[in-house]
Amino acid sequence: MQAAEAALPGLVRHHRSPYRVTAGRVAGQGQEVPAQARQVSDQVFLPVTHLSARCDDHSPTGHREARHRDESGGNVTTNPPEKPDVLSEEFAQDPHKYYKIMRDHYPVLHDEASGYYFVTRYNDVARIYKDSVAFSNENYAFQMEPVIGKTLIQMSGREHAVNRHLVTPALRGNYLQELLPQVDELAKEMIDEFRHSSQIDLIEKFTKWFPINVIVKMLDLPHDDLPKFHDWYSSLMAFLANLTNDPEVHAWGMRTQRDYPAYILPIIAERRRNPGTDLISRLTQAEIEGEQFSDEQIKALIGLLLIAGGETTDKAIASTLKYLIQHPEQLAAVRADPTLATQALVETLRYHPPVQIILRTATEDIDVSGTAIPKGSVVACVNGAANRDERRFNDPDKFDIFREDVNMNQAFVGSADHIAFALGRHFCVGSLLAKREAETAINQLLQAMPDIRFAGGKEPVDAGMFTRGPERLDVEFTPVTQ
């Protein structure tokens, strides 16, 4: 986690890339691709599109103008706030401050440096996720495929349907139920290592490693290899979020491109020859309509599992605990009724989703909230902004695990009210595993630390752009023995 978070702030500090591409588009749509994109293994492709034409309700500078009447009855034009720089230090420190400005004045903000169109209103983001025809996942061809290969989240049509059906039983079926007691035991073992302490960094001691422990257990891989997996998924997360083509981040991703397949492919081949009951073995034996996963597909799927089930679950657990500590009455309610841990998690997914931004690609010229987005442009769906949209949620800047405008019964399916796992057909297939991990972690930690509080009263600081959560979670408590 620390490695990935160390990389992400660097993307902000170096927000004017030395490798800036001009007028680039996503490949595969009959459009010219710059030379930089043709050698993906040498340099990650950063698409940059021309600034779109604005509709009539925009000023020539692209700003919407607000009008009101002065005391004499005349019209007075009030200039809107300055357009946020999404790659600035100020934005990184407090994105929610700027998310509101974007929702109100720049609901589709075109960032000239990256070329991305940042979409921030709930209805617009939901529309993009649900319309997989007009907004595809082709962007993962440059975000993820260069490191781990083609994954489920960039597939469409029959290819996506077949691959999702192959993997779903392993993450949402009987195998998940078989795994849950092991998840509980892993959490207990990790907490036992520090339950007699009185002050710890909860991220370093628990949330950073717990999800990876679960994945390694699912894959039946050596526990001693945990640091390798953490490095690989951290590099993949940084590569995915590398808006500025930071050469160090790119080099890190290319090392993973070399080292990860060399490690995992021989293991996959062996499990195919001698299958067991682990997830890798199950994937080698899965079949639908006469089709099976190839070793390369399983490699890519495991890589996706690492990034989707590692850092994001880490941040979801850490952020939930952070907000519960900030709201003592709600913390007391969860401690008194452990079933409320689910509501606390869901409210965190709405209030501060671990994945703040997910990308899509416009497959045609299309209008979103009055802004023309050209075909081939990369669209950044800002989950963190959409989930605080007052057009959708009551008092959205209030953390409230008892809110009534989020349906808890559908919070972990494709029709969820919050936008944290995307929506529609590409809704996170591992959401139920993440839910169970977080419930276990929250309840066991609160049981071990009944008077948990921020160490020295100092509240943790969040970091990250694509994914966001506390950098550290220093807490103190009175040890409880069992």
Side-chain angles (χ1 to χ4, degrees):
M1 171 58 62
Q2 289 176 332
E5 287 303 337
L8 290 173
L11 303 182
V12 174
R13 287 193 294 271
H14 301 91
H15 71 278
R16 296 295 176 253
S17 170
Y19 300 103
R20 182 173 175 180
V21 180
T22 58
R25 298 286 179 86
V26 173
Q29 298 181 352
Q31 297 166 328
E32 182 178 357
V33 178
Q36 291 93 325
R38 300 189 186 112
Q39 296 296 326
V40 175
S41 62
D42 293 330
Q43 179 178 310
V44 62
F45 172 29
L46 175 64
V48 177
T49 58
H50 291 300
L51 181 63
S52 69
R54 301 287 179 168
C55 62
D56 291 339
D57 66 343
H58 287 72
S59 69
T61 61
H63 291 180
R64 278 192 172 94
E65 294 181 344
R67 296 181 181 274
H68 65 274
R69 291 190 178 275
D70 63 14
E71 294 179 356
S72 65
N75 284 327
V76 176
T77 298
T78 302
N79 289 328
E82 182 180 357
K83 187 174 84 168
D85 180 353
V86 296
L87 299 181
S88 68
E89 287 280 3
E90 292 76 17
F91 191 97
Q93 291 170 6
D94 186 9
H96 286 287
K97 170 184 174 182
Y98 297 98
Y99 287 165
K100 180 168 179 53
I101 294 173
M102 292 164 73
R103 285 194 305 268
D104 291 345
H105 301 281
Y106 309 93
V108 180
L109 184 152
H110 180 253
D111 176 64
E112 290 83 357
S114 65
Y116 294 0
Y117 288 80
F118 289 81
V119 180
T120 49
R121 289 182 180 170
Y122 181 94
N123 285 342
D124 292 336
V125 171
R127 167 197 170 189
I128 291 168
Y129 284 142
K130 292 176 181 179
D131 189 350
S132 58
V133 175
F135 299 95
S136 76
N137 286 5
E138 295 177 30
N139 44 279
Y140 289 107
F142 68 84
Q143 268 194 299
M144 190 177 293
E145 187 174 351
V147 179
I148 61 171
K150 188 176 184 180
T151 64
L152 178 66
I153 58 174
Q154 73 186 87
M155 297 176 185
S156 60
R158 184 179 182 277
E159 182 184 30
H160 174 263
V162 169
N163 278 268
R164 191 173 178 98
H165 279 303
L166 282 168
V167 72
T168 294
L171 296 176
R172 301 180 76 93
N174 292 334
Y175 177 62
L176 178 59
Q177 295 303 315
E178 296 170 11
L179 181 70
L180 295 184
Q182 299 178 60
V183 173
D184 295 340
E185 184 60 30
L186 279 171
K188 181 181 182 301
E189 290 174 0
M190 293 184 67
I191 293 172
D192 283 345
E193 294 181 4
F194 60 79
R195 71 170 63 248
H196 300 295
S197 304
S198 59
Q199 181 172 328
I200 60 167
D201 172 9
L202 202 51
I203 289 176
E204 183 59 39
K205 290 293 186 180
F206 186 83
T207 70
K208 171 181 174 179
W209 299 106
F210 176 55
I212 292 297
N213 261 297
V214 172
I215 292 171
V216 167
K217 186 75 172 178
M218 292 171 66
L219 301 175
D220 191 21
L221 296 173
H223 184 271
D224 290 345
D225 290 340
L226 276 173
K228 292 181 181 178
F229 280 95
H230 182 266
D231 179 74
W232 290 334
Y233 90 65
S234 296
S235 71
L236 182 56
M237 195 68 237
F239 191 93
L240 182 151
N242 192 12
L243 281 179
T244 61
N245 276 342
D246 184 311
E248 293 184 4
V249 172
H250 178 75
W252 190 15
M254 292 301 97
R255 288 196 297 274
T256 296
Q257 180 198 56
R258 177 196 66 204
D259 297 342
Y260 168 63
Y263 173 93
I264 201 68
L265 284 173
I267 294 174
I268 295 170
E270 172 59 27
R271 302 286 171 86
R272 193 181 293 279
R273 291 190 296 268
N274 300 293
T277 60
D278 59 279
L279 180 58
I280 296 176
S281 295
R282 290 170 186 254
L283 292 174
T284 65
Q285 305 304 306
E287 182 175 334
I288 184 171
E289 299 179 9
E291 295 190 33
Q292 288 184 303
F293 283 123
S294 68
D295 289 5
E296 284 289 333
Q297 288 174 315
I298 294 174
K299 176 207 73 175
L301 182 59
I302 293 172
L304 177 62
L305 181 63
L306 285 172
I307 190 171
E311 181 163 6
T312 55
T313 305
D314 159 14
K315 282 177 162 53
I317 296 170
S319 292
T320 301
L321 290 165
K322 169 188 170 180
Y323 294 123
L324 286 176
I325 295 171
Q326 288 179 336
H327 299 82
E329 292 183 0
Q330 297 181 57
L331 174 61
V334 175
R335 184 177 287 114
D337 181 1
T339 64
L340 291 178
T342 305
Q343 292 182 210
L345 171 63
V346 172
E347 175 62 351
T348 299
L349 293 174
R350 182 204 67 83
Y351 185 77
H352 190 83
V355 181
Q356 293 276 299
I357 297 172
I358 295 177
L359 302 186
R360 291 292 187 262
T361 302
T363 63
E364 59 190 50
D365 293 343
I366 197 163
D367 181 279
V368 177
S369 278
T371 296
I373 300 178
K375 178 181 178 180
S377 300
V378 177
V379 179
C381 297
V382 189
N383 302 333
N387 278 338
R388 298 276 194 102
D389 191 345
E390 55 280 338
R391 299 161 188 81
R392 171 60 180 82
F393 299 102
N394 295 321
D395 203 0
D397 291 324
K398 178 182 180 181
F399 180 85
D400 180 8
I401 69 173
F402 300 106
R403 68 170 49 249
E404 297 179 353
D405 50 6
V406 174
N407 186 337
M408 294 293 164
N409 293 325
Q410 60 186 38
F412 296 92
V413 296
S415 56
D417 292 318
H418 66 80
I419 297 178
F421 297 121
L423 295 171
R425 68 177 59 186
H426 283 285
F427 187 81
C428 177
V429 71
S431 61
L432 289 182
L433 174 60
K435 170 182 179 288
R436 190 61 171 83
E437 288 180 271
E439 291 170 342
T440 293
I442 293 164
N443 284 322
Q444 289 201 31
L445 287 167
L446 293 184
Q447 183 181 22
M449 300 181 287
D451 60 348
I452 185 174
R453 55 199 179 274
F454 296 132
K458 185 177 180 181
E459 297 197 357
V461 176
D462 290 338
M465 183 177 181
F466 275 70
T467 62
R468 188 171 180 87
E471 290 186 293
R472 296 177 57 90
L473 190 55
D474 293 306
V475 299
E476 54 190 19
F477 56 95
T478 302
V480 173
T481 58
Q482 286 189 343

